């Protein structure tokens, strides 16, 4: 009777272990996902940079033009638009920095996950089974 549960347990553990093909497929999927994130991140970096440069140049020009003119009323709307554009650019910069840190953390997490998979694959089979017996006794 004791052989049957151990046999079933070994079969279940063997099903749970990732095969080499599954691990390679998983690595390729992770690499493709990280490449897509990297491409999107570069696009976002350029877009955010262009928006920030445009906002600062527009705001500088609006302030210079308003400073040299004596009429204040028509330029108030231009200054309001300039400040709004500057705030929108700052928000995009903050979003960019948050996304950059998110992508970096995700890359590190996936690299650590692959290292854990590699370490698990190098463990001898009987040490994994003995470890499971010890956990079940506790």
């Amino acid at each position: 009777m004791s052989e049957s549960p151990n046999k079933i347990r070994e079969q279940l553990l063997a099903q749970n272990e990732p095969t080499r093909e599954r691990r390679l497929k998983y690595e390729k999927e992770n690499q493709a996902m990280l490449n897509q994130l990297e491409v999107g991140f570069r696009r976002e970096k350029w877009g955010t940079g262009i928006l920030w440069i445009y906002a600062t140049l527009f705001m500088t020009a609006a302030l210079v033009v308003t400073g040299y003119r004596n009429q204040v009323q028509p330029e108030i709307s231009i200054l309001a638009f300039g400040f709004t554009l500057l705030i929108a650019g700052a928000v995009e910069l903050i979003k960019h920095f948050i996304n950059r840190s998110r992508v970096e953390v995700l890359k590190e997490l996936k690299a650590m996950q692959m290292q854990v998979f590699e370490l698990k694959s190098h463990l001898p089979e009987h040490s994994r089974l003995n470890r499971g017996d010890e956990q079940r006794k506790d």
Side-chain angles (χ1 to χ4, degrees):
M1 183 87 177
S2 66
E3 288 182 357
S4 178
N6 283 337
K7 185 177 178 183
I8 293 172
R9 180 175 167 272
E10 289 173 13
Q11 288 174 350
L12 288 174
L13 283 173
Q15 285 178 354
N16 194 22
E17 291 298 317
T19 62
R20 181 169 171 77
E21 295 83 23
R22 276 197 253 162
R23 195 174 74 241
L24 289 175
K25 182 181 174 187
Y26 183 72
E27 284 180 31
K28 287 179 184 177
E29 289 173 355
N30 276 341
Q31 194 60 37
M33 179 191 66
L34 291 175
N35 288 342
Q36 281 182 334
L37 284 174
E38 204 53 46
V39 167
F41 178 69
R42 275 189 249 125
R43 285 184 191 143
E44 180 185 337
K45 181 179 178 180
W46 279 99
T48 302
I50 290 169
L51 176 65
W52 182 250
I53 290 170
Y54 176 73
T56 53
L57 289 177
F58 182 83
M59 191 62 199
T60 303
L63 286 172
V64 168
V65 168
T66 304
Y68 282 120
R69 288 188 161 187
N70 290 333
Q71 299 173 353
V72 178
Q73 283 296 39
E75 285 81 15
I76 289 178
S77 61
I78 293 173
L79 288 178
F81 177 70
F83 279 119
T84 304
L85 191 62
L86 202 60
I87 290 170
V91 167
E92 288 299 317
L93 270 177
I94 292 170
K95 281 177 28 182
H96 172 70
F97 290 137
I98 290 171
N99 283 337
R100 181 179 67 183
S101 63
R102 183 182 63 86
V103 168
E104 288 173 2
V105 167
L106 187 63
K107 285 168 112 177
E108 291 175 12
L109 183 66
K110 292 297 180 180
M112 284 179 25
Q113 187 179 27
M114 295 313 298
Q115 288 176 353
V116 168
F117 283 155
E118 286 295 319
L119 289 174
K120 278 186 175 180
S121 68
H122 292 304
L123 283 177
E125 183 65 31
H126 81 87
S127 71
R128 284 187 242 160
L129 294 176
N130 289 340
R131 190 170 24 113
D133 288 337
E134 292 170 2
Q135 289 176 353
R136 195 172 55 181
K137 288 178 184 176
D138 292 338

